[in-house]
């Protein structure tokens, strides 16, 4: 019962910004559910297949900002076949048909076509911000449509996308009247850019605060652009190569001195180390520095640069900095909160130039450190224990030893104790990635201590099902679990199937789970999609249930099997009936035809009680999608947005 | 151009082509000396080591180390440059990133233009067309638009600044192609 008018409650809700909190608020009572839903403007969908676009629109009609994530995380590492899914277009189509006034769209690991960008640009008058991270499927033509049609565009942020370059001067498509840009990130583009158009665009964008250029922008063009935008707060350079004796370079040095607001620096996609002294004058203001795409800067030049950066809070760097360089970071950057050290040889089990020494130095010198991604040659238990003692603030701890099953090189022991120390000490740890030689013991520790853990990545670790069970039983807040090449099988998978409905997703590849195990899991679990990625037809679905499943991805969903699954993705459903195929689903009386010609029918009774009529069978969705429809009838009680 | 008579090698030892010493390739023209490789790179032994390693032979685990493809491709930065040979009807392209040294580059060129072999005069750099006896000098256009002789600068610097290659007829390069043995420039 409400003691205040709805408007007051709505006003109170305005102060609740976290998605989790808003989800919780919406569960209190029907009235709060309604008020919350009508006032939510920012919607986060962690898995685009957990809900339909129509469902989102129905629940949140006042939505202005949408975040969508598509492919599973391991798609980043080529473990998910191309064409797996994560397609944006149906979302844009549905939103365009509705009355939603979309203003912001943030996408991660989605397939974005030029058509969808064009439709987006034409359908939402007030569209302001487009952020694409690790997406693919579009070209500069799509960008041209966004540039041309989004009259109030403030943010165009392209991070690490695969963009096809179609020549054509897409930058020139920004009309002269477009003066609203605040953030423009082009760093991932590979093709030529019309430099004078870019310069003019920058010149007419007085609010521009963040500008990240692509490799095609040379140093002299950078100088001209900076002249137009001395107010920049975040700069990403393109190519930083020039003759240090030249006029252009000297001009650049002078121009940079005028850019007193720059706090964040990145780029150097091509760099001549001799040119770096030009940026030394602005280093003392930097809070964020990303040199992880600058393979041309080595040891001493890096150190010379970093010695000027006393205010650094975030540092992304390559391992050529070495342990010695990390020692300098530790003594210079006392405000450091986030450190990422990437391998300069991303292919090899090569020779990373950093070891446990660098990490220990950092942990000792940087008390505020809470987020770490560290690719290294080796790690010891002693080092991890020291790190845990020095830094108990970690919220994200991702360690990648290049040889994934390497033990502690000093003691030849597994790294169980080291990681155990980390999880025990870091009570706020939310994300953890393991590597090195690890037994079931490390999972025992994780289950015992990692109470806040939300995401866990496991590779080449563990000895038996017990390992996975420790985690599933212990980590109450676990949302995402991804496992590869570890000996976890059906027992672990099936012990607590209800757990998966409390999580976003589970990925298991090259483990010991079998087809039979997956089928059992999928039975009576209408709120889970259990997908098997069957590349090269390795699995014969009509035969042996004891076959190992190469790749399994399961996720909770409100909308059943997805209709856009490609041929190689098989969704196991409620009841596996061998070779039965669904031919037609009539929403009134749910008829199914089996291969044998028997008709089954059952009234559907609504989602929450008898979610899907029995006889809903496994099939190759790709082939049958045009005949198959999933009408969920009468579903009322959405439990809160799936995140 | 007649070969230098300094340090005459016995015929059986002659390696005309870019095969490294001991690689067992049959020379197509006797009497030529091995000199280019030694002048271009500081340490021939090092080259041998490098060349002896099988290219990317390690069995790579899919998806390990867990580095985003975008980053992998960006670090790879393949650098394809056009190669023109004076008188040839069309151009080719060669990826400088996959060669890690001048000899490898010349190797790649030789494979591409099978009519050419690299002559190894002591301290001279010459490319000869077997069929018509024409001689070529390898040149490249750098970032500033100038045409330079291949081999003067360290390899990495060359890769950074090379925009395209041209095998210039040495008759056009008169006065430019080095004739006399000179000190090795550092070309690592």
């Amino acid at each position: 019962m409400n003691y205040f008018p709805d408007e007051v409650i709505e006003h109170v809700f305005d102060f609740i910004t976290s998605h989790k909190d808003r989800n919780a608020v919406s569960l209190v009572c029907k009235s709060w559910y309604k008020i919350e839903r009508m006032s939510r403007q920012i919607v986060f969908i962690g898995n685009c297949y957990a809900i339909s676009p129509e469902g989102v629109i129905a629940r949140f009609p006042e939505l202005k900002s949408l975040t969508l994530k598509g492919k599973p995380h391991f798609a980043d590492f080529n473990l998910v076949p191309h064409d797996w899914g994560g397609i944006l277009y149906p979302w844009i189509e549905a939103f365009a048909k509705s009355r939603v006034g979309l203003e912001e769209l943030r996408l991660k690991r989605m397939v974005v076509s030029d058509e969808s960008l064009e439709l987006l640009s034409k359908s939402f008058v007030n569209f302001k911000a487009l952020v694409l991270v690790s997406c693919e499927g579009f070209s500069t033509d799509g960008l041209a449509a966004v540039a041309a049609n989004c009259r109030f565009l403030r943010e165009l942020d392209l991070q690490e996308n695969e963009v096809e370059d179609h020549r054509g001067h897409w930058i020139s498509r920004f009309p002269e009247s477009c003066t609203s840009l605040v953030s423009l990130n082009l760093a991932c583009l590979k093709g030529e850019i019309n430099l004078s158009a870019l310069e003019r665009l920058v010149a007419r964008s007085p609010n521009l605060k963040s500008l990240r250029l692509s490799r095609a922008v040379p140093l002299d063009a950078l100088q001209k652009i900076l002249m137009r935008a001395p107010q920049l707060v975040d700069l990403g350079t393109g190519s930083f190569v020039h003759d240090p004796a030249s006029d252009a370079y000297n001009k650049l040095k002078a121009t940079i001195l005028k850019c007193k607001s720059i706090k964040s620096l990145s780029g150097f996609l091509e760099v001549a180390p001799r040119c770096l002294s030009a940026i030394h004058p602005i280093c003392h203001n930097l809070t964020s520095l990303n040199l992880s795409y600058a393979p041309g800067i080595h040891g001493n030049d890096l150190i010379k640069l970093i010695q000027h950066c006393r205010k650094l809070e975030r540092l992304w760097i390559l391992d050529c900095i070495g342990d010695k360089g990390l020692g300098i970071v530790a003594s210079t950057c006392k405000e450091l909160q986030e450190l990422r050290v990437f391998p300069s040889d991303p292919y090899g089990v090569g020779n990373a130039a950093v070891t446990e020494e660098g990490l220990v130095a950092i942990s000792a010198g940087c008390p505020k450190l809470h987020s770490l991604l560290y690719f290294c040659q080796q790690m010891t238990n002693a080092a991890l224990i020291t790190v845990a003692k020095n830094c108990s603030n970690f919220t994200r701890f991702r360690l990648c030893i290049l040889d994934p099953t390497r033990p502690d090189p000093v003691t030849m022991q597994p790294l169980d104790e080291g990681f155990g120390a980390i999880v025990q000490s870091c009570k706020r740890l939310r994300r953890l990635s393991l590597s090195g030689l690890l037994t079931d013991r490390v999972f025992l520790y994780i289950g015992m201590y990692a109470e806040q853990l939300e995401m866990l990545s496991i590779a080449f670790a563990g000895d038996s099902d017990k390992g996975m069970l420790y985690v599933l039983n212990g980590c109450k807040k676990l949302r995402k679990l991804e496992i590869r090449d570890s000996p976890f099988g059906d027992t672990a998978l099936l012990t607590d199937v209800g757990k998966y409905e409390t999580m976003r997703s589970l990925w298991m590849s090259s483990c010991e789970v079998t087809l039979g195990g997956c089928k059992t899991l999928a039975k009576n679990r209408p709120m889970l999609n259990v997908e098997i990625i069957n590349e090269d037809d390795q699995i014969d679905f009509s035969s042996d249930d004891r076959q190992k499943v190469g790749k399994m991805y399961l996720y909770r969903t409100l909308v059943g099997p997805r209709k856009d699954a490609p041929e190689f993705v098989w969704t196991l459903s409620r009841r596996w009936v061998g070779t039965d195929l669904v031919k037609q689903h009539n929403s009134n009386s749910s008829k199914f035809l089996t291969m044998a010609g028997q008709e089954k029918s059952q009234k559907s009774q609504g989602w929450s009680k008898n979610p899907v009529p029995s006889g809903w069978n496994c099939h190759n969705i790709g082939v049958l999608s045009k005949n198959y429809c999933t009408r969920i009838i009468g579903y009322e009680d959405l439990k809160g947005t799936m995140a | 151009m007649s070969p230098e008579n300094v340090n005459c090698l016995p015929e059986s030892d002659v390696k005309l082509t870019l095969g490294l010493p001991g690689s067992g390739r049959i020379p197509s023209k006797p009497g030529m000396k091995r000199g280019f490789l030694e002048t271009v790179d500081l340490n021939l032994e090092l080259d041998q080591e490098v060349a002896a390693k099988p290219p990317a032979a390690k069995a790579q685990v899919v998806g390990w180390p867990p580095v985003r493809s975008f980053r992998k491709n960006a670090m790879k930065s393949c650098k394809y440059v056009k190669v023109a040979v004076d008188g040839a009807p069309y151009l080719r392209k060669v990826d400088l990133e996959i060669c890690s040294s001048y000899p490898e580059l010349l190797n790649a060129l030789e494979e591409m233009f099978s009519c050419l072999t690299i002559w190894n005069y002591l301290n001279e750099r010459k490319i000869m067309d077997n069929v018509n006896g024409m001689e070529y000098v390898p040149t490249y256009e750098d970032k500033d638009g100038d045409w330079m002789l291949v081999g003067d600068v360290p390899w990495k610097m060359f890769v950074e600044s090379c925009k395209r290659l041209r095998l210039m007829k040495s008759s056009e390069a008169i006065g430019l192609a080095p004739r006399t043995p000179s000190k090795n420039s550092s070309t690592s």
Side-chain angles (χ1 to χ4, degrees):
Chain A
M1 180 175 302
N2 288 332
Y3 296 104
F4 302 109
D6 287 0
E7 297 78 34
V8 173
I9 300 190
E10 186 179 320
H11 183 65
V12 172
F13 288 177
D14 276 349
F15 294 93
I16 302 173
T17 49
S18 120
H19 302 294
K20 286 192 188 130
D21 289 344
R22 287 200 78 117
N23 290 347
V25 148
S26 67
L27 291 177
V28 167
C29 62
K30 279 206 164 109
S31 163
W32 279 32
Y33 174 88
K34 182 168 144 260
I35 297 169
E36 194 285 316
R37 100 171 223 273
M38 295 306 288
S39 62
R40 194 180 315 200
Q41 298 194 332
I42 304 174
V43 175
F44 172 86
I45 311 270
N47 174 5
C48 65
Y49 291 120
I51 183 91
S52 67
E54 292 79 10
V56 176
I57 294 165
R59 182 163 172 196
F60 301 114
E62 301 302 314
L63 179 161
K64 298 260 176 300
S65 166
L66 178 67
T67 300
L68 272 177
K69 295 190 180 181
K71 299 186 197 182
H73 176 233
F74 275 177
D76 280 351
F77 317 131
N78 292 339
L79 288 178
V80 176
H82 199 53
D83 300 343
W84 174 88
I87 301 165
L88 176 67
Y89 192 84
W91 287 82
I92 305 294
E93 202 179 16
F95 274 72
K97 285 193 192 130
S98 75
R99 285 158 55 202
V100 168
L102 192 66
E103 293 183 12
E104 290 185 0
L105 187 61
R106 292 164 206 278
L107 304 175
K108 190 167 189 182
R109 280 189 289 270
M110 298 223 27
V111 176
V112 177
S113 62
D114 284 342
E115 289 73 32
S116 58
L117 288 177
E118 185 160 351
L119 184 58
L120 170 73
S121 72
K122 292 185 173 153
S123 309
F124 307 107
V125 170
N126 285 323
F127 193 76
K128 295 193 172 76
L130 182 63
V131 179
L132 303 178
V133 180
S134 293
C135 298
E136 53 168 351
F138 62 103
S139 75
T140 47
D141 293 346
L143 297 178
V146 172
N149 301 326
C150 299
R151 295 164 54 212
F152 304 113
L153 196 67
R154 283 199 208 141
E155 196 178 336
L156 181 59
D157 186 356
L158 307 172
Q159 297 177 32
E160 299 193 335
N161 303 290
E162 296 293 341
V163 185
E164 213 178 293
D165 180 47
H166 282 179
R167 304 290 122 117
H169 294 172
W170 73 273
I171 289 267
S172 322
R173 301 295 304 278
F174 281 102
E176 288 302 311
S177 54
C178 174
T179 57
S180 47
L181 276 178
V182 174
S183 169
L184 184 61
N185 177 358
L186 311 173
C188 66
L189 297 183
K190 299 193 198 107
E192 297 295 318
I193 295 235
N194 183 335
L195 296 173
S196 54
L198 178 60
E199 196 190 324
R200 287 195 305 274
L201 178 62
V202 171
R204 64 178 185 276
S205 304
N207 297 321
L208 194 67
K209 291 278 182 292
S210 167
L211 179 64
R212 298 189 186 184
L213 304 168
S214 68
R215 201 182 188 143
V217 181
L219 190 139
D220 50 343
L222 170 66
Q223 186 269 328
K224 294 198 191 105
I225 287 168
L226 284 180
M227 283 292 285
R228 308 289 202 165
Q231 78 282 3
L232 282 180
V233 172
D234 168 26
L235 172 66
T237 69
S239 166
F240 209 77
V241 178
H242 224 281
D243 175 3
S246 68
D247 261 352
Y249 179 74
N250 286 316
K251 264 196 202 159
L252 177 72
K253 276 170 80 167
T255 307
I256 286 187
L257 288 174
K258 297 201 182 102
C259 300
K260 299 187 190 295
S261 309
I262 294 183
K263 288 216 183 126
S264 165
L265 192 58
S266 62
F268 302 97
L269 307 173
E270 232 177 33
V271 56
R274 320 166 278 178
C275 294
L276 284 176
S277 53
I279 58 168
H280 287 175
I282 53 170
C283 286
H284 66 276
N285 276 334
L286 290 181
T287 55
S288 169
L289 180 61
N290 181 354
L291 297 175
S292 65
Y293 281 103
I297 314 180
H298 292 286
N300 289 329
D301 294 310
L302 267 180
I303 289 173
K304 263 191 252 167
L305 197 59
I306 287 175
Q307 276 169 333
H308 291 93
C309 302
R310 303 203 150 264
K311 289 202 190 143
L312 221 51
E313 292 170 16
R314 190 161 82 143
L315 177 63
W316 290 24
I317 203 145
L318 292 173
D319 62 7
C320 45
I321 190 173
D323 285 332
K324 182 168 143 228
L326 287 176
I328 307 284
V329 172
S331 55
T332 310
C333 309
K334 296 300 181 187
E335 303 297 315
L336 197 67
Q337 297 178 23
E338 177 181 331
L339 175 67
R340 295 197 190 189
V341 181
F342 292 95
S344 16
D345 174 15
Y347 285 92
V349 182
N351 298 306
V354 298
T355 68
E356 75 275 12
E357 276 182 39
L359 184 59
V360 169
I362 292 279
S363 72
C366 307
K368 299 189 181 175
L369 191 67
H370 66 79
S371 175
L372 180 75
L373 172 61
Y374 196 75
F375 284 82
C376 60
Q377 186 69 7
Q378 62 184 44
M379 186 52 59
T380 64
N381 282 310
L384 283 173
I385 291 169
T386 306
V387 168
K389 275 205 201 105
N390 291 338
C391 270
S392 55
N393 289 329
F394 279 113
T395 53
R396 292 187 201 86
F397 191 89
R398 294 193 277 164
L399 189 69
C400 180
I401 302 168
L402 288 179
D403 176 356
T405 54
R406 192 165 178 191
D408 178 329
V410 173
T411 63
M412 299 314 285
Q413 292 298 302
L415 292 177
D416 302 334
E417 300 305 312
F419 279 105
I422 294 284
V423 294
Q424 192 178 8
S425 160
C426 303
K427 307 216 187 301
R428 289 194 288 265
L429 193 68
R430 295 198 315 263
R431 183 169 179 183
L432 178 65
S433 298
L434 307 169
S435 61
L437 184 64
L438 294 164
T439 71
D440 285 344
R441 199 163 178 81
V442 71
F443 300 112
L444 173 67
Y445 292 141
I446 291 172
M448 275 171 69
Y449 295 113
E451 290 174 8
Q452 302 300 317
L453 196 64
E454 296 178 5
M455 181 170 177
L456 179 61
S457 307
I458 300 171
F460 305 97
D463 308 311
S464 74
D465 285 328
K466 280 204 226 145
M468 187 169 164
L469 284 170
Y470 289 140
V471 172
L472 291 175
N473 291 335
C475 300
K476 302 293 178 208
K477 298 208 173 167
L478 196 62
R479 291 190 296 114
K480 286 183 282 181
L481 180 58
E482 48 187 23
I483 307 173
R484 63 166 293 183
D485 294 273
S486 301
F488 306 137
D490 294 342
T491 307
L493 184 69
L494 296 172
T495 295
D496 178 11
V497 296
K499 171 84 176 171
Y500 305 126
E501 286 178 22
T502 70
M503 291 167 57
R504 185 189 301 178
S505 64
L506 167 67
W507 169 282
M508 293 182 77
S509 59
S510 306
C511 297
E512 302 290 316
V513 297
T514 67
L515 179 59
C518 293
K519 283 186 192 173
T520 307
L521 173 58
K523 234 186 214 182
N524 301 316
R525 287 281 140 196
M527 291 187 74
L528 292 182
N529 279 350
V530 180
E531 293 185 6
I532 291 181
I533 294 174
N534 190 21
E535 290 170 290
D536 311 319
D537 283 319
Q538 274 161 8
I539 297 183
D540 180 2
F541 282 91
S542 55
S543 73
D544 199 351
D545 274 1
R546 286 169 301 177
Q547 294 172 83
K548 297 256 171 68
V549 165
K551 292 177 182 171
M552 180 203 72
Y553 179 57
L554 72 85
Y555 53 90
R556 67 179 178 185
T557 178
L558 292 172
V559 290
R562 56 188 174 109
K563 297 178 208 52
D564 64 358
E567 262 191 354
F568 54 82
V569 170
W570 291 69
T571 307
L572 299 183
S573 73
R574 254 191 100 220
R575 194 170 105 189
W576 170 252
V577 192
T579 54
D580 287 358
L581 296 171
V582 173
K583 285 290 186 116
Q584 198 170 11
H585 177 177
N586 181 314
S587 62
N588 289 332
S589 67
S590 319
K591 288 181 197 155
F592 300 98
L593 293 173
T594 67
M595 285 277 271
Q598 300 167 307
E599 244 180 335
K600 300 182 184 192
S601 76
Q602 182 132 351
K603 276 209 195 92
S604 18
Q605 293 167 34
W607 183 245
S608 50
K609 300 233 182 327
N610 254 332
V612 175
S614 69
W616 179 37
N617 299 307
C618 173
H619 44 272
N620 184 332
I621 306 244
V623 168
L624 295 173
S625 59
K626 52 185 188 290
N627 295 324
Y628 186 86
C629 78
T630 46
R631 265 286 289 279
I632 310 299
I633 298 158
Y635 185 68
E636 289 287 315
D637 310 309
L638 280 170
K639 268 172 131 186
T641 309
M642 294 301 194
Chain B
M1 191 134 325
S2 56
E4 304 285 347
N5 277 323
V6 178
N7 296 338
C8 249
L9 294 168
E11 273 194 17
S12 57
D13 235 9
V14 160
K15 289 284 185 285
L16 174 64
T17 66
L18 271 194
L20 291 166
S23 65
R25 287 171 70 168
I26 299 162
S28 48
K29 249 210 159 125
M32 294 306 128
K33 289 172 190 49
R34 177 192 331 135
F36 180 62
L37 298 179
E38 282 152 326
T39 57
V40 166
D41 273 302
L42 285 173
N43 186 347
L44 193 57
E45 244 115 54
L46 187 62
D47 273 358
Q48 268 182 309
E49 231 171 58
V50 167
K53 268 196 202 137
K58 292 184 274 226
Q60 304 257 329
V61 177
V62 173
W64 195 269
V67 174
R68 272 190 189 161
S69 322
F70 182 87
R71 180 174 286 280
K72 276 192 178 157
N73 294 336
M75 303 298 275
K76 205 172 63 169
S77 72
C78 70
K79 180 131 191 212
Y80 274 95
V81 295
K82 291 183 190 170
V83 185
V85 177
D86 282 356
Y90 55 84
L91 280 62
R92 299 294 302 269
K93 268 199 162 173
V94 68
D95 181 358
L96 295 182
E97 286 287 318
I98 62 169
C99 311
S100 51
S101 62
Y102 285 113
E104 278 188 44
L105 171 62
L106 293 172
N107 218 348
L109 291 179
E110 202 189 27
E111 269 169 39
M112 224 177 252
F113 298 97
S114 51
C115 53
L116 301 174
T117 47
I118 314 294
W119 278 34
N120 296 307
Y121 285 101
L122 192 64
N123 295 327
E124 292 200 35
R125 296 145 221 186
K126 262 231 196 71
I127 298 172
M128 165 88 112
D129 184 324
N130 286 339
V131 174
N132 59 21
M134 298 287 303
E135 287 174 1
Y136 298 91
V137 174
T139 64
Y140 71 100
E141 184 183 10
D142 75 356
K143 278 197 168 131
D144 300 320
D146 299 317
W147 285 93
M148 319 281 290
L149 186 69
V150 168
D152 283 336
V153 299
W155 173 255
K156 285 217 167 98
M157 197 182 287
F158 167 73
V159 172
E160 290 264 273
S161 53
C162 172
K163 279 179 31 194
R164 53 187 163 136
L165 286 161
R166 176 182 165 201
L167 301 187
M168 186 185 278
K169 284 195 197 144
S170 87
S171 51
E172 280 187 36
I174 282 174
L176 296 175
R179 285 165 176 272
T180 49
S182 48
K183 262 245 156 7
N184 298 355
S185 41
S186 85
T187 51
S188 60

